[in-house]
Amino acid sequence: MDVPLWLALIVVGWLGVKLIRPPWWLVLVLLGGYLLADSLLTPVIDTAVK
C-alpha cells in the first residue's frame, strides 16, 4: 500500500498534537517555517540568515 507523503505528515502531525499536546504557538511557528521554506521568499530568507 502506497501512502502519499502529505497524508502521512497530516496523520503524524495530528497524532503528535493529540498525544504530546505542544503549545499552539509552537505548532504555528513550525508549520509557518515549513511553508516559508518552500515559498518564493526562500532566497530572501537564505541571504538574511547567512
Side-chain angles (χ1 to χ4, degrees):
M1 178 171 90
D2 293 327
V3 177
L5 180 61
W6 61 267
L7 181 60
L9 288 175
I10 289 173
V11 170
V12 169
W14 182 78
L15 284 174
V17 168
K18 284 292 189 186
L19 296 176
I20 300 173
R21 299 208 183 250
W24 282 106
W25 63 265
L26 180 61
V27 174
L28 292 176
V29 165
L30 290 175
L31 183 61
Y34 176 75
L35 292 175
L36 277 177
D38 195 31
S39 70
L40 295 173
L41 296 175
T42 303
V44 175
I45 295 170
D46 191 34
T47 55
V49 171
K50 287 185 179 180

